[in-house]
Amino acid sequence: MDIIGSKDKECTCTPQQITKYMGRISGPLLDRIDIHIEVTPVKYEKLESDIKPESSEKIKERVNMARKIQLERYKNNRIFSNSELTPKLIEKYCKLDANGKRLLENAFKKLGLSARAYGRILKVSRTIADLAGEENISSNHIAEAIQYRNLDRKYWGK
Amino acid sequence: MEIQQIKWDDKRYPKLLKNIKKPPKQLYVLGNAEILNMPGIAIIGSRNCTETGEKIAKDFANKLSSVGICINSGMALGIDTQAHIGALNAGGKTIAVLGCGLKHIYPAKNKELFFKIIKNEGAIISEYESNEEPESKKFIERNRIVSGMSIGVLVVEAAYRSGTSITARFAKEEGKNVFCIPHNISDKLGIGTNKLLQQGAKCVVTVNDILKEYDFLDNIKISNIKNTNTESINIEKIPKEYIDIYKCISDKPIDINNICKKVKMNINEINAGLTVLELEGYINKLPGEKYIKVV
């Protein structure tokens, strides 16, 4: 199996084949997915490395915390979570400071993101801020959220 | 946009091209036909190239064109494309030789580049009638023009038995300088270049290695070399909290897992930092969650 982007296995496809493959999933469809992350194959040695990742139990605690924050915040809006935010509610609950706005604007210009991606990024930023237990979305949260929109980028159009 | 026909006896017809085995009887030109006799170096290489190769092609094109050398190539994807872009970024001249008539833009993906070359007083040329279709045999014939009109050929990446090797062979037969970027012997895209080096091509590590061969040309000023791709990067401007991330990113792509191992930061901070560094133009993101330094 050859994979473009993989470190160990060489991709033998032509640039045209790669473009065609990437084009199989249309932009508008990708726009509707909140988070895309590319993962590369894991080598055996890494599976048994001694670096201890955060335990699932701890992560669960954080997630539950974030859920609680959201339930509380949206109790009068008849929704339960950030994913359900409508454009109007996004405006209300995902306010950005000047830094955040500048960063997002820059990202749109440079990365060729779509209008639909805009709402996704704000919602994901809201979640990142909630997970961190912070009331306001900072530019760091925005920057992290942008990182999770891998497939919108114009990888192949260079 | 009008296609100009440059006949054999036209003074704009490239003089060097007249010395090759089967010179074209005429050339069709879109854009600036006055540059066909400029001293030019061909920068060539694989279509399916590595990111490092793309960078090298762009960087060499940039520097060579900033001292008044025209960059010649075939406008194919990969190395060719980056060579043209590098020259355009430096405000230099570049010539694309096509393996089809000028009414076709081949490959179609380079439509933007095609018009950009014309707009920036470069030239798109071909020996074929304007409506002739692209064909694989024409690409080989096209390669003899790329090398034929150049004073030297720089091979950035080439697999074993590739079109690039054919162009280099033409250049060698015509007694021109063949320059090669050396590669690790395990690199597939280095087999062709390393082979050329074994056969006596000149090993090139910096632009000066090429320019040294042409110090007899008056209008080329070695001292003029400057990098116009980007303003030189001012490390002090990089936000302090992200400097460690920036430091572990080099010319060789590094993936996010390895960045995490090297930098003692949380993944979310690293993700945020990578976005900022990318948006500010310090690094580029590549497929496979890999990152590479900008110039």
Side-chain angles (χ1 to χ4, degrees), chain A residues 4-7 10-16 18-19 37-38 40 46 51 102-103 106-107 110-111 140 143-144 146-148 150 153 155-158, chain B residues 47-48 51 54 77 81-82 85 106 109 188 242 255-258 261 268-269 271-276 278-281 285-291:
Chain A
I4 178 88
S6 161
K7 261 204 297 233
E10 200 184 335
C11 180
T12 51
C13 303
T14 63
Q16 287 87 339
I18 294 169
T19 315
I37 298 175
E38 229 175 314
T40 43
K46 293 216 179 114
I51 303 169
R102 202 170 46 89
L103 182 87
N106 208 349
K110 290 210 173 150
L111 306 179
N140 270 356
E144 191 184 340
I146 293 168
Q147 209 50 232
Y148 302 142
N150 256 331
R153 290 150 169 271
Y155 267 165
W156 317 110
K158 36 177 180 184
Chain B
R47 276 165 292 163
N48 216 347
E51 287 105 14
E54 287 191 343
L77 299 178
T81 299
Q82 297 304 319
I85 292 176
Y106 188 88
K109 215 171 164 185
K188 271 206 176 133
Y242 303 136
D255 70 51
I256 191 162
N257 295 328
N258 282 319
K261 263 190 224 150
N268 51 336
E269 288 171 304
N271 268 324
L274 289 169
T275 308
V276 172
E278 186 189 7
L279 293 179
E280 299 290 325
K285 186 172 189 174
L286 303 170
E289 294 278 349
K290 286 185 290 191
Y291 296 86

Coordinates of all heavy atoms in Angstrom, one line a residue, chain A residues 4-7 10-16 18-19 37-38 40 46 51 102-103 106-107 110-111 140 143-144 146-148 150 153 155-158, chain B residues 47-48 51 54 77 81-82 85 106 109 188 242 255-258 261 268-269 271-276 278-281 285-291:
Chain A
I4 N 0.5 8.7 -0.2 CA 1.1 10.0 -0.3 C 1.2 10.6 1.1 O 0.3 10.5 1.9 CB 0.3 11.0 -1.2 CG1 0.9 12.3 -1.3 CG2 -1.1 11.2 -0.8 CD1 2.0 12.5 -2.3
G5 N 2.4 11.2 1.4 CA 2.5 11.7 2.8 C 3.2 10.8 3.7 O 3.7 11.2 4.8
S6 N 3.1 9.5 3.4 CA 3.7 8.5 4.4 C 5.2 8.6 4.3 O 5.8 8.8 3.2 CB 3.3 7.1 4.0 OG 4.1 6.2 4.6
K7 N 5.8 8.4 5.5 CA 7.3 8.5 5.5 C 8.0 7.3 5.0 O 9.1 7.3 4.4 CB 7.7 8.5 7.0 CG 7.9 9.4 7.8 CD 8.6 9.6 9.0 CE 8.0 8.7 10.0 NZ 7.6 9.3 11.2
E10 N 6.7 4.6 -0.2 CA 6.7 5.6 -1.2 C 5.5 5.5 -2.0 O 5.0 4.5 -2.3 CB 7.9 5.3 -2.1 CG 8.3 6.5 -2.9 CD 9.4 6.1 -3.8 OE1 10.2 5.1 -3.5 OE2 9.6 6.8 -4.8
C11 N 5.0 6.7 -2.4 CA 3.8 6.8 -3.2 C 4.2 6.7 -4.6 O 5.0 7.4 -5.1 CB 3.0 8.1 -3.0 SG 1.6 8.3 -3.9
T12 N 3.6 5.8 -5.4 CA 4.0 5.6 -6.8 C 3.0 6.2 -7.7 O 3.1 6.0 -8.9 CB 4.1 4.1 -7.1 OG1 2.9 3.4 -6.7 CG2 5.3 3.4 -6.4
C13 N 2.0 6.9 -7.2 CA 0.9 7.5 -8.1 C 1.5 8.7 -8.8 O 2.4 9.4 -8.3 CB -0.3 7.9 -7.3 SG -1.0 6.6 -6.3
T14 N 0.9 9.0 -9.9 CA 1.3 10.2 -10.6 C 0.5 11.4 -10.0 O -0.5 11.2 -9.3 CB 0.9 10.2 -12.1 OG1 -0.5 10.1 -12.1 CG2 1.5 9.0 -12.8
P15 N 1.0 12.6 -10.2 CA 0.3 13.7 -9.6 C -1.1 13.8 -10.0 O -2.0 14.2 -9.2 CB 1.1 14.9 -10.2 CG 2.5 14.4 -10.5 CD 2.3 13.0 -10.9
Q16 N -1.4 13.4 -11.3 CA -2.8 13.4 -11.7 C -3.7 12.4 -10.9 O -4.8 12.8 -10.5 CB -2.9 13.0 -13.2 CG -2.4 14.1 -14.2 CD -0.9 13.9 -14.4 OE1 -0.2 13.4 -13.6 NE2 -0.4 14.5 -15.5
I18 N -3.2 11.5 -7.9 CA -3.3 12.0 -6.6 C -4.4 13.0 -6.6 O -5.3 13.0 -5.7 CB -2.0 12.6 -6.0 CG1 -1.0 11.4 -5.9 CG2 -2.2 13.3 -4.7 CD1 0.4 11.9 -5.6
T19 N -4.4 13.9 -7.5 CA -5.4 15.0 -7.6 C -6.8 14.3 -7.7 O -7.7 14.8 -7.1 CB -5.2 15.9 -8.9 OG1 -3.8 16.2 -8.9 CG2 -6.0 17.1 -8.8
I37 N -8.1 15.3 10.6 CA -6.7 15.2 11.0 C -6.1 14.0 10.2 O -6.7 13.0 9.9 CB -6.6 14.9 12.5 CG1 -7.2 16.0 13.3 CG2 -5.1 14.7 12.9 CD1 -7.2 15.7 14.7
E38 N -4.9 14.3 9.7 CA -4.2 13.2 9.0 C -3.4 12.4 9.9 O -2.7 13.0 10.8 CB -3.3 13.9 8.0 CG -3.4 13.4 6.6 CD -2.5 14.2 5.7 OE1 -2.5 15.4 5.8 OE2 -1.8 13.5 4.9
T40 N -0.5 9.3 10.3 CA 0.4 8.5 9.6 C 0.5 7.1 10.3 O 0.3 7.0 11.5 CB 1.8 9.2 9.5 OG1 2.1 9.7 10.8 CG2 1.8 10.3 8.5
K46 N 6.9 2.1 18.3 CA 6.3 3.2 19.0 C 5.1 2.7 19.8 O 4.7 3.4 20.7 CB 5.8 4.2 17.9 CG 7.0 4.8 17.2 CD 6.7 6.2 16.8 CE 7.9 6.9 16.2 NZ 7.7 7.2 14.8
I51 N 6.6 6.4 26.7 CA 6.0 7.7 27.0 C 4.5 7.5 27.3 O 3.8 6.9 26.6 CB 6.1 8.6 25.7 CG1 7.6 8.7 25.3 CG2 5.5 10.0 26.0 CD1 7.7 9.4 23.9
R102 N -8.0 38.8 13.6 CA -7.0 39.1 12.7 C -6.4 37.7 12.2 O -6.2 37.5 11.0 CB -5.9 39.9 13.3 CG -5.0 40.6 12.3 CD -4.1 41.6 13.1 NE -3.4 40.9 14.2 CZ -2.3 40.2 14.2 NH1 -1.6 40.2 13.0 NH2 -1.8 39.7 15.2
L103 N -6.2 36.8 13.1 CA -5.7 35.5 12.8 C -6.6 34.8 11.8 O -6.2 34.2 10.8 CB -5.5 34.7 14.1 CG -4.9 33.3 13.9 CD1 -3.4 33.4 13.9 CD2 -5.4 32.4 15.0
N106 N -6.6 36.2 8.3 CA -5.4 35.9 7.7 C -5.4 34.4 7.2 O -5.0 34.1 6.1 CB -4.3 36.0 8.8 CG -2.9 36.3 8.1 OD1 -2.8 36.2 6.9 ND2 -2.0 36.6 9.0
A107 N -6.0 33.5 8.0 CA -6.1 32.1 7.6 C -7.0 32.0 6.4 O -6.7 31.2 5.5 CB -6.6 31.3 8.8
K110 N -5.0 33.1 3.3 CA -3.8 32.3 3.0 C -4.1 30.8 2.7 O -3.5 30.2 1.9 CB -2.8 32.4 4.1 CG -2.1 33.7 4.1 CD -0.7 33.7 4.6 CE -0.1 35.1 4.5 NZ 0.9 35.3 5.5
L111 N -5.1 30.3 3.4 CA -5.3 28.8 3.2 C -6.5 28.5 2.3 O -6.7 27.4 2.0 CB -5.6 28.2 4.6 CG -4.5 28.5 5.7 CD1 -4.9 27.8 7.0 CD2 -3.1 27.9 5.2
N140 N -5.1 31.6 20.4 CA -4.6 30.3 20.4 C -5.6 29.2 20.1 O -5.3 28.2 19.5 CB -3.9 30.0 21.8 CG -2.5 30.4 21.8 OD1 -1.9 30.9 20.8 ND2 -1.9 30.3 23.0
A143 N -6.2 29.3 16.5 CA -5.1 28.7 15.8 C -5.1 27.2 15.8 O -4.9 26.5 14.8 CB -3.8 29.2 16.3
E144 N -5.5 26.7 17.0 CA -5.5 25.2 17.1 C -6.7 24.6 16.2 O -6.5 23.6 15.5 CB -5.7 24.8 18.6 CG -5.5 23.3 18.8 CD -5.8 22.9 20.2 OE1 -5.8 23.8 21.1 OE2 -6.1 21.7 20.4
I146 N -7.9 25.8 13.5 CA -7.5 25.9 12.1 C -6.7 24.7 11.7 O -6.8 24.1 10.6 CB -6.8 27.2 11.8 CG1 -7.7 28.4 12.0 CG2 -6.2 27.2 10.4 CD1 -7.0 29.7 12.0
Q147 N -5.9 24.3 12.6 CA -5.0 23.1 12.4 C -5.8 21.8 12.1 O -5.3 20.9 11.5 CB -4.2 23.0 13.7 CG -2.8 22.3 13.5 CD -1.9 22.9 12.5 OE1 -1.4 22.2 11.7 NE2 -1.7 24.2 12.4
Y148 N -7.0 21.8 12.6 CA -7.9 20.6 12.4 C -8.7 20.7 11.1 O -9.7 19.9 11.0 CB -8.8 20.4 13.6 CG -8.0 20.3 14.9 CD1 -8.5 20.8 16.1 CD2 -6.8 19.6 15.0 CE1 -7.8 20.7 17.3 CE2 -6.1 19.5 16.1 CZ -6.6 20.1 17.3 OH -5.9 20.0 18.5
N150 N -7.4 20.2 8.0 CA -6.4 19.8 7.0 C -6.8 19.7 5.6 O -6.2 20.1 4.7 CB -6.0 18.4 7.4 CG -4.6 18.4 8.0 OD1 -3.9 19.4 7.7 ND2 -4.4 17.5 8.9
R153 N -7.4 22.5 2.8 CA -6.3 23.3 2.2 C -6.0 23.0 0.8 O -6.3 22.0 0.3 CB -5.0 23.0 3.0 CG -5.1 23.5 4.4 CD -4.3 22.6 5.3 NE -4.2 23.3 6.5 CZ -3.2 24.1 6.8 NH1 -2.3 24.3 5.9 NH2 -3.2 24.7 8.0
Y155 N -3.7 21.8 -0.8 CA -2.5 21.0 -0.9 C -2.0 20.9 -2.3 O -0.8 21.0 -2.6 CB -2.8 19.6 -0.5 CG -2.5 19.3 1.0 CD1 -3.1 18.2 1.5 CD2 -1.8 20.2 1.7 CE1 -2.9 18.0 2.9 CE2 -1.6 20.0 3.0 CZ -2.1 18.8 3.6 OH -1.9 18.6 4.9
W156 N -2.9 20.6 -3.2 CA -2.5 20.1 -4.5 C -2.5 21.2 -5.5 O -2.1 21.0 -6.7 CB -3.3 19.0 -5.0 CG -3.6 18.0 -3.9 CD1 -4.7 17.8 -3.2 CD2 -2.6 17.2 -3.2 NE1 -4.5 16.9 -2.2 CE2 -3.3 16.5 -2.2 CE3 -1.2 16.9 -3.5 CZ2 -2.6 15.6 -1.4 CZ3 -0.6 16.0 -2.6 CH2 -1.3 15.3 -1.6
G157 N -2.9 22.4 -5.1 CA -3.1 23.4 -6.1 C -1.8 24.3 -6.2 O -1.9 25.4 -6.7
K158 N -0.7 23.9 -5.7 CA 0.4 24.8 -5.7 C 1.1 25.0 -7.0 O 0.9 24.2 -7.9 CB 1.4 24.4 -4.6 CG 1.7 22.9 -4.5 CD 2.8 22.7 -3.5 CE 2.9 21.2 -3.3 NZ 3.8 20.7 -2.4
Chain B
R47 N 8.7 15.1 -12.6 CA 7.3 15.7 -12.3 C 6.9 15.3 -10.9 O 6.4 16.1 -10.1 CB 6.3 15.1 -13.3 CG 6.3 15.9 -14.6 CD 5.6 15.1 -15.7 NE 6.3 13.9 -16.0 CZ 5.8 12.9 -16.6 NH1 4.6 12.8 -17.0 NH2 6.6 11.8 -16.9
N48 N 7.1 14.0 -10.6 CA 6.8 13.5 -9.3 C 7.9 13.7 -8.4 O 8.6 12.7 -8.0 CB 6.5 12.0 -9.5 CG 5.3 11.6 -8.6 OD1 4.9 12.3 -7.7 ND2 4.8 10.4 -8.8
E51 N 9.5 17.3 -2.0 CA 9.3 18.7 -1.6 C 10.7 19.4 -1.5 O 10.8 20.6 -1.8 CB 8.7 18.8 -0.2 CG 7.2 18.5 -0.2 CD 6.9 17.1 0.4 OE1 7.8 16.5 1.0 OE2 5.8 16.6 0.2
E54 N 11.6 20.4 -5.0 CA 10.9 21.6 -5.4 C 11.5 22.9 -4.9 O 11.7 23.9 -5.5 CB 9.4 21.6 -4.9 CG 8.5 20.6 -5.6 CD 7.1 20.8 -5.2 OE1 6.8 21.4 -4.2 OE2 6.2 20.2 -5.9
L77 N 4.7 19.6 -14.5 CA 4.5 19.7 -13.1 C 5.8 19.4 -12.4 O 6.8 18.9 -12.9 CB 3.5 18.6 -12.6 CG 2.1 18.8 -13.3 CD1 1.1 17.7 -12.8 CD2 1.5 20.2 -12.9
T81 N 7.9 23.4 -13.0 CA 7.0 24.4 -12.5 C 7.7 25.3 -11.5 O 7.6 26.5 -11.5 CB 5.7 23.7 -11.8 OG1 5.1 23.0 -12.8 CG2 4.8 24.8 -11.2
Q82 N 8.4 24.7 -10.5 CA 9.0 25.4 -9.5 C 10.1 26.3 -10.0 O 10.4 27.4 -9.5 CB 9.6 24.5 -8.4 CG 8.5 23.7 -7.6 CD 7.5 24.6 -7.0 OE1 7.8 25.6 -6.5 NE2 6.2 24.2 -7.1
I85 N 8.5 29.3 -11.4 CA 8.0 30.2 -10.3 C 9.1 30.9 -9.6 O 9.0 32.1 -9.4 CB 7.2 29.3 -9.3 CG1 5.9 28.8 -9.9 CG2 6.9 30.1 -8.0 CD1 5.1 27.9 -9.0
Y106 N -0.6 22.8 -21.6 CA -0.4 21.5 -21.1 C 0.8 21.6 -20.2 O 1.9 22.1 -20.5 CB -0.1 20.5 -22.2 CG 0.0 19.1 -21.7 CD1 -1.2 18.3 -21.5 CD2 1.2 18.6 -21.2 CE1 -1.1 17.1 -21.0 CE2 1.2 17.3 -20.7 CZ 0.1 16.6 -20.5 OH 0.1 15.3 -20.0
K109 N -3.1 22.1 -15.5 CA -3.0 22.6 -14.1 C -2.1 23.9 -14.0 O -2.2 24.7 -13.1 CB -2.4 21.6 -13.3 CG -2.9 21.5 -11.9 CD -2.4 20.3 -11.2 CE -2.5 20.4 -9.7 NZ -1.9 19.3 -9.0
K188 N 15.5 7.4 -4.6 CA 15.1 7.0 -5.9 C 15.3 8.1 -6.9 O 15.6 7.9 -8.1 CB 13.6 6.5 -5.9 CG 13.5 5.0 -5.6 CD 12.3 4.5 -6.2 CE 12.2 3.0 -6.0 NZ 11.0 2.5 -5.5
Y242 N 6.8 30.5 20.4 CA 6.8 29.5 19.3 C 8.2 29.3 18.7 O 8.4 28.5 17.8 CB 5.9 29.9 18.2 CG 4.5 30.1 18.6 CD1 3.7 31.1 18.2 CD2 3.9 29.1 19.5 CE1 2.4 31.3 18.7 CE2 2.6 29.3 20.0 CZ 1.9 30.4 19.6 OH 0.6 30.5 20.0
D255 N 7.6 15.6 10.7 CA 6.1 15.4 11.0 C 5.8 15.8 12.4 O 6.7 16.0 13.3 CB 5.6 14.0 10.7 CG 6.2 13.0 11.6 OD1 6.0 13.1 12.8 OD2 6.7 12.0 11.1
I256 N 4.5 16.0 12.6 CA 4.1 16.6 13.9 C 4.5 15.8 15.1 O 4.8 16.3 16.2 CB 2.6 17.0 13.8 CG1 2.2 17.8 15.0 CG2 1.8 15.7 13.8 CD1 0.9 18.6 14.8
N257 N 4.5 14.5 14.9 CA 4.9 13.6 16.1 C 6.3 13.9 16.5 O 6.6 13.9 17.7 CB 4.7 12.1 15.7 CG 3.3 11.8 15.4 OD1 2.4 12.4 16.1 ND2 3.0 10.9 14.5
N258 N 7.2 14.1 15.5 CA 8.6 14.3 15.9 C 8.8 15.7 16.5 O 9.6 15.9 17.3 CB 9.5 14.1 14.7 CG 9.7 12.6 14.4 OD1 9.9 11.9 15.4 ND2 9.6 12.2 13.2
K261 N 7.9 15.4 20.0 CA 9.0 14.8 20.8 C 10.1 15.7 21.2 O 10.7 15.7 22.2 CB 9.5 13.6 20.0 CG 8.9 12.3 20.4 CD 9.7 11.1 19.8 CE 8.7 10.1 19.2 NZ 9.2 9.5 18.1
N268 N -1.7 20.8 21.9 CA -2.6 21.9 21.5 C -1.8 23.2 21.4 O -2.1 23.9 20.5 CB -3.8 22.0 22.5 CG -3.4 22.1 23.9 OD1 -2.4 21.6 24.3 ND2 -4.3 22.7 24.7
E269 N -0.8 23.4 22.2 CA 0.0 24.6 22.0 C 0.8 24.5 20.7 O 0.9 25.4 20.0 CB 1.0 24.7 23.2 CG 0.3 25.1 24.5 CD 1.3 25.0 25.6 OE1 1.9 23.9 25.8 OE2 1.5 26.0 26.3
N271 N 0.0 22.8 18.0 CA -0.9 23.0 16.9 C -1.2 24.5 16.7 O -1.2 25.0 15.6 CB -2.2 22.3 17.2 CG -2.2 20.9 16.6 OD1 -1.7 20.7 15.5 ND2 -2.9 20.0 17.3
A272 N -1.4 25.2 17.8 CA -1.7 26.6 17.7 C -0.4 27.3 17.1 O -0.5 28.1 16.2 CB -2.0 27.2 19.0
G273 N 0.7 26.9 17.6 CA 2.0 27.5 17.1 C 2.2 27.3 15.7 O 2.6 28.2 14.9
L274 N 1.9 26.1 15.2 CA 2.2 25.7 13.8 C 1.3 26.6 12.9 O 1.7 27.0 11.9 CB 1.9 24.2 13.6 CG 3.0 23.3 14.2 CD1 2.5 21.9 14.1 CD2 4.3 23.5 13.5
T275 N 0.0 26.8 13.3 CA -0.8 27.6 12.5 C -0.3 29.0 12.4 O -0.2 29.6 11.3 CB -2.2 27.7 13.1 OG1 -2.7 26.4 13.4 CG2 -3.2 28.5 12.2
V276 N 0.1 29.6 13.6 CA 0.6 30.9 13.5 C 1.9 31.0 12.7 O 2.0 31.9 11.8 CB 0.9 31.4 15.0 CG1 1.6 32.8 15.0 CG2 -0.4 31.5 15.8
E278 N 2.8 29.2 10.2 CA 2.4 29.0 8.8 C 1.8 30.3 8.3 O 2.2 30.8 7.2 CB 1.5 27.9 8.6 CG 1.2 27.6 7.1 CD 0.1 26.6 6.9 OE1 -0.5 26.1 7.8 OE2 0.0 26.2 5.7
L279 N 0.9 30.9 9.0 CA 0.2 32.1 8.5 C 1.2 33.3 8.4 O 1.0 34.1 7.6 CB -1.0 32.4 9.4 CG -2.1 31.4 9.4 CD1 -3.2 31.9 10.3 CD2 -2.7 31.2 8.0
E280 N 2.1 33.3 9.3 CA 3.1 34.4 9.2 C 4.1 34.2 8.1 O 5.0 35.0 7.9 CB 3.8 34.6 10.6 CG 2.8 34.9 11.7 CD 2.2 36.3 11.6 OE1 2.9 37.2 11.1 OE2 1.1 36.5 12.0
G281 N 4.1 33.0 7.5 CA 5.0 32.7 6.4 C 6.3 32.2 6.8 O 7.3 32.3 6.0
K285 N 3.1 23.9 5.4 CA 2.5 22.6 5.8 C 2.4 21.7 4.6 O 2.1 22.2 3.5 CB 1.1 22.8 6.4 CG 0.6 21.5 7.0 CD -0.7 21.8 7.7 CE -1.1 20.5 8.4 NZ -2.3 20.7 9.3
L286 N 2.8 20.4 4.8 CA 2.8 19.5 3.6 C 1.9 18.4 4.0 O 1.6 18.1 5.1 CB 4.2 19.0 3.4 CG 5.3 20.0 3.2 CD1 6.7 19.3 3.2 CD2 5.1 20.7 1.8
P287 N 1.5 17.6 3.0 CA 0.7 16.4 3.2 C 1.4 15.5 4.3 O 2.6 15.4 4.3 CB 0.6 15.7 1.9 CG 0.8 16.8 0.9 CD 1.7 17.8 1.5
G288 N 0.5 14.8 5.1 CA 1.1 13.9 6.0 C 1.5 14.6 7.3 O 2.4 14.1 8.1
E289 N 0.8 15.7 7.6 CA 1.1 16.5 8.8 C 2.6 16.8 8.9 O 3.2 16.7 10.0 CB 0.7 15.7 10.1 CG -0.8 15.6 10.2 CD -1.5 16.8 10.7 OE1 -0.9 17.7 11.3 OE2 -2.8 16.8 10.7
K290 N 3.2 17.1 7.8 CA 4.7 17.5 7.9 C 4.9 19.0 7.6 O 4.0 19.6 7.0 CB 5.4 16.6 6.8 CG 5.5 15.2 7.2 CD 6.4 14.4 6.2 CE 5.7 14.2 4.9 NZ 6.4 13.3 4.0
Y291 N 6.0 19.4 8.1 CA 6.3 20.8 8.0 C 7.7 21.1 7.5 O 8.6 20.3 7.7 CB 6.1 21.5 9.4 CG 4.7 21.4 9.9 CD1 4.3 20.3 10.5 CD2 3.8 22.4 9.6 CE1 2.9 20.2 10.9 CE2 2.5 22.3 9.9 CZ 2.0 21.2 10.6 OH 0.7 21.1 11.0

